[in-house]
Amino acid sequence: MAELFAPVEGGRISLQIVQQIQDAIRSSQLEPGDRLPPERDLAERFGVSRVTVRDALRSLEVLGLIRIRVGATGGAFVTSPGAEIVGEGLTNLMLLSSLEPEEIAETRLVLELGSVALATARATDEEIEELRTITNDGQAALDQGTYERDMSVQFHLRLAQIAHNNALSLVTDSFRGPLSMHVIRRRESTESGFPQTVQEHAAIVKAIELRDAAEAQRKMAEHLTRGTRLPDDAVRALLHER
């Protein structure tokens, strides 16, 4: 395994070590479950101190690419990044970008028109009933004056989950952060906005129950473009309408 790595020099040495190990993982030369050589051996191979190797391994652990175990059977083991780590990286990337409200709405359209179409085709009757329960709970909370924005996030996340695509669910989880519609919804009052949201969610579920993907997409488009300044031709293009 040591032959995978080459000595490093100049620049950010620990980063070069991280990149070499990342490359080995991406090329499948290292796979989940593989154990990396001991720190001493890696230090000799890279031509650096054990402290530098240790720093690089810590960075890889933060990235979710390795897991460091202690004890007699311990060491650094290659692993697969969990959904939380991947989602956090995606969220941080978007947070550092200056996204305009309409860009957020348009991105949500691209993603969720696909989500709702897949959910219509793939969701079981039981899963659709779960989605219906979420909308009913939302209406009950609205009647009691306890509705919160996170209830809307839960609806969209469950919708992605019943589309049965793990990558889509992972991206949808970022709706809590940089892809939140809050920047657009705050243009309207909660007194009018929350009731509209609950009604629109219910309309989407009804279309899914009828297995009408085109109608579900139209209702989703109406929901996501409410209060936006997106041009109609852009929405029609995404809906494949003339």
Side-chain angles (χ1 to χ4, degrees), residues 61-132:
E61 187 173 35
V62 170
L63 292 172
L65 294 176
I66 67 170
R67 180 182 293 108
I68 298 176
R69 302 175 189 167
V70 297
T73 60
F77 294 83
V78 178
T79 186
S80 298
E84 292 181 1
I85 292 177
V86 176
E88 182 179 355
L90 178 62
T91 296
N92 289 338
L93 176 64
M94 289 187 288
L95 281 173
L96 292 173
S97 304
S98 299
L99 301 178
E100 295 296 328
E102 269 58 41
E103 289 181 309
I104 292 173
E106 195 165 66
T107 300
R108 290 281 296 266
L109 266 176
V110 172
L111 292 171
E112 296 207 72
L113 290 183
S115 290
V116 76
L118 290 176
T120 302
R122 297 175 176 175
T124 65
D125 292 340
E126 291 75 16
E127 288 172 332
I128 295 174
E129 184 58 33
E130 290 176 17
L131 202 61
R132 170 63 68 188

Side-chain angles (χ1 to χ4, degrees), residues 18 44 144 183 216 224 226:
V18 169
E44 292 178 0
Q144 297 168 10
V183 292
L224 294 176
R226 190 183 86 228

Side-chain angles (χ1 to χ4, degrees), residues 4-26 30 36-61 63 65-66 76:
L4 294 175
F5 311 123
V8 295
E9 58 182 12
R12 300 177 61 183
I13 295 177
S14 64
L15 180 58
Q16 293 180 53
I17 296 173
V18 169
Q19 290 175 334
Q20 285 197 38
I21 296 177
Q22 280 182 319
D23 290 342
I25 294 173
R26 289 169 180 163
L30 287 175
L36 295 178
E39 284 183 7
R40 180 185 61 257
D41 295 349
L42 288 173
E44 292 178 0
R45 183 61 183 170
F46 288 122
V48 300
S49 69
R50 292 180 64 175
V51 172
T52 301
V53 169
R54 195 172 299 128
D55 288 342
L57 294 180
R58 286 171 180 163
S59 296
L60 288 163
E61 187 173 35
L63 292 172
L65 294 176
I66 67 170

